[in-house]
Amino acid sequence: MDPVKACSIKLNDGHLMPVLGFGTSAPSEVAKSNVEEAIKTAINVGYRHIDSAYLYLNEEEIGRAIRKKNADGTVTREDIFYSSKVWGTFFRPELVQTGLDTSLRKLGLSYVNLYLIHFPAALKPGEELFPKDKDGEIIFDTVDFCATWEAVEKCKDLGLTKSTGVSNLSCRPLEMILNKPGLKYKPVCNQVECHPYLNQSKLLEFCKPKDIVLTAYAALGSDSRKEWVNKNTPILLKDPVLKAIAEKHRCTPAQVALSFQLQWGGVVALAKSFNEKRIQENFQVFDFQLTPEDVETLDGLDRNIRYFTDIQRPRCSPAAYPELARALLLSVSVLKPGFHDSHPRTAPPSSASNPQAGERRPLPPEPRMRRRPPRTRFEILPRRRGLGSQLGSLPTHRQSLPSCFAEGSQMCTVRQNLWAARAWPS
Ligand SMILES: NC(=O)c1ccc[n+]([C@@H]2O[C@H](COP(=O)([O-])OP(=O)(O)OC[C@H]3O[C@@H](n4cnc5c(N)ncnc54)[C@H](OP(=O)(O)O)[C@@H]3O)[C@@H](O)[C@H]2O)c1
């Protein structure tokens, strides 16, 4: 069997997606020429899934690399699974296709394999990636997220993308799309931050029965040089538990982190490296298997740690909160502590192996035991008042407001922050 197909997962629209993707976003100080070289190396090594976005400003280089590898006979266009993302400044339905056309023009391709809504917040249309007002506040736009989705569906109908998906969505906006009257295409995947420190077990449980693949970004713990990455987070690949498991299997912590997603979670993983040796190393993840005990141990590392914070928690003044809430699809709820929703990611039966083409892995069995004490979560109660009135008594200095981007835990962060904010002295 074609090894690439053997390591692909069948999406809910019938297309195949290679389970290991090559990430391409890099800190701004990294020269764009490195992207082109890295893509060529990655294709030579065997990667067939390449992830990028309008935001990354590297689609010209990626397109050039793909076309060169096509010209030298290494791959055909059909061998490559390329995903791009519509950026927030193109969320108005009439602009979505313009966003994709711009990406395609830069790539020199006639279609992408997957087009994702990058994150659930619309930004003021225009040239600026992060439009800001005179006070430096991000300017959001008010767009019906479902209308944006319909425009993405239209791109599929036009043949500009094979599949359609979302990114950085929690259950709530995902459900909004799924319940949308006249939904034509279900998202095939939800690309979110996911790694042993943030295992996304709840979101995974939400997505799996709905046949929505979870794609893990920052699966290696990302790169602290990136503007949006929290500098105060522990380095995942230096985690002693990860290191011990790697030593046991005579592999590297990066390979363990990727295998954690691929072998047991039924998750597609993205790995970025522009270093030839590490590009190769990261691709050698199908040569060993983690044991169920390894997975349970890795599962126990979940600490609700997010590397990507700032982009998900735009800073804005309290006056702009209602606008931000609308932009982030954040309807306000009254919150109550004490809701537990920890679902350990458990290993499937030992017979499970790497995914086969056309097959979906079996759902993991129900958790057998809970080793860790459940974390305190907050329950959403029915909406009572608007965000504006709820936050009316907040202090007036700038405060980081989290969004509804990621699953459960992040929504909880929203709520915890709201509680915390309420407790602040004015
Ligand atoms: N949808 C979204 O909002 C979103 C957000 C973030 C990322 N993404 C996508 O997901 C991809 C992956 O995420 P990411 O780039 O943030 O982080 P990542 O893949 O978790 O980690 C990348 C970092 O790990 C290093 N690295 C790679 N392999 C290594 C190894 N074997 N040993 C040690 N270090 C290693 C890389 O450095 P070197 O390059 O020097 O090897 C780089 O600094 C992105 O590139 C992008 O395509 C999507």
Side-chain angles (χ1 to χ4, degrees), residues 341-382:
D341 63 356
S342 177
H343 300 292
R345 194 196 277 217
T346 48
S350 54
S351 59
S353 59
N354 295 334
Q356 299 296 307
E359 260 184 35
R360 295 194 60 78
R361 273 165 285 199
L363 289 178
E366 283 300 305
R368 289 181 303 260
M369 59 189 291
R370 197 191 293 277
R371 290 213 165 147
R372 287 166 290 140
R375 286 166 293 156
T376 301
R377 298 288 171 96
F378 294 86
E379 185 180 7
I380 308 176
L381 297 179

Side-chain angles (χ1 to χ4, degrees), residues 259-305:
S259 289
F260 175 60
Q261 309 293 353
L262 301 178
Q263 280 182 216
W264 304 100
V267 174
V268 167
L270 301 176
K272 175 263 165 186
S273 178
F274 288 177
N275 172 285
E276 190 172 345
K277 181 175 163 286
R278 291 191 284 274
I279 292 173
Q280 286 197 13
E281 176 190 313
N282 295 344
F283 199 70
Q284 309 305 314
V285 283
F286 302 107
D287 305 342
F288 69 98
Q289 278 212 321
L290 298 174
T291 65
E293 292 71 34
D294 294 333
V295 174
E296 215 166 317
T297 306
L298 290 166
D299 197 40
L301 294 180
D302 185 36
R303 295 177 204 169
N304 195 21
I305 288 176

